[in-house]
Structure formats: structure tokens, C-alpha cells
Amino acid sequence: MAGTPKAHPKLKLKKGDHVQVVQGKDVGKRGEVARVFPERNMVVVESAEQINVAKKHQKPTRATMQGGIQDKSMPIHVSNLMLLCAKDGPVRVAYRVDDDGTKTRVCRKCGDAL
Ligand SMILES: [Zn+2]
């Protein structure tokens, strides 16, 4: 297949991306991608708004002598997230390939590099 881009990125999000949840129980919340799991198409989003957080019960340890409940951010599927453009808010991602072959991730609305 001539002309087909070879290295299609598996995951459009990377660590440090600012994203907004567009589906599920946390719709509208924004945060930053903290971890990526490309093989599962999932990412962990850290946010003060607690995105996809599960309560983890901890058994008492010998050191602290007390248990407790800890918040843990769980991975969320990338289809539930949209990348945030500074101008447009949540947007779909496009790719621009320059003459020298450089691939740049851009906002599908305004064309700015993201
Ligand atoms: Zn934009």
C-alpha cells in the first residue's frame, strides 16, 4: 500500500497532556495525563477533581498501626477523553506531516500544534 503512513500512533495521548473527560461518570472534569498504557489504550489522569478514582482500603501496617482509605486514580480508556486546545477546549486530534517528514499533533479545529 504505497502512500500509507507507516507509523500510525497507537495512542494519541501522552504523559503531561491536558485532557477533559467526555464520557462516563466524570464528564467535564479536566486533568493531566500521568501514565499511559498504549497496549490497552488507557491512561491515568491526575486531577484535583478526582477522575476515575477508586477508594482503596488499606490494612493496618506494623509501622503505622492503623488502616485507612486511600484514593487511587484508575486507568481510563482514551475514548472517554479529549485533548484540550488552549483556544477551543476539548478537541479531536489531527496530524500534520511537514515536508521534511516531521509529524506534528495538531488541533483539528484551529490547526495549532498541541
Ligand atoms: Zn484549537
Side-chain angles (χ1 to χ4, degrees):
M1 292 250 276
T4 307
K6 262 189 285 183
H8 187 75
K10 279 183 188 140
L11 201 61
K12 288 183 176 180
L13 299 176
K14 61 180 192 292
K15 197 177 169 185
D17 278 350
H18 291 275
V19 294
Q20 180 167 327
V21 182
V22 294
Q23 272 187 74
K25 64 181 171 64
D26 294 315
V27 164
K29 291 183 182 178
R30 295 179 176 193
E32 189 177 316
V33 174
R35 286 184 72 187
V36 295
F37 303 95
E39 68 285 348
R40 290 159 63 198
N41 270 316
M42 295 181 99
V43 299
V44 168
V45 182
E46 295 288 355
S47 169
E49 297 178 273
Q50 301 219 313
I51 294 171
N52 207 28
V53 163
K55 303 278 182 196
K56 278 247 172 179
H57 294 265
Q58 276 202 330
K59 288 209 173 93
T61 63
R62 208 174 280 245
T64 61
M65 290 299 280
Q66 56 180 332
I69 300 170
Q70 217 180 27
D71 292 339
K72 190 176 190 315
S73 295
M74 304 302 288
I76 183 169
H77 199 265
V78 292
S79 63
N80 295 327
L81 300 168
M82 275 177 116
L83 201 59
L84 284 169
C85 169
K87 288 182 192 167
D88 307 305
V91 292
R92 287 185 180 279
V93 173
Y95 288 89
R96 183 184 74 214
V97 181
D98 295 328
D99 291 341
D100 63 357
T102 312
K103 206 171 198 174
T104 309
R105 197 177 59 174
V106 297
C107 167
R108 199 168 279 186
K109 274 190 187 168
C110 68
D112 278 6
L114 292 173

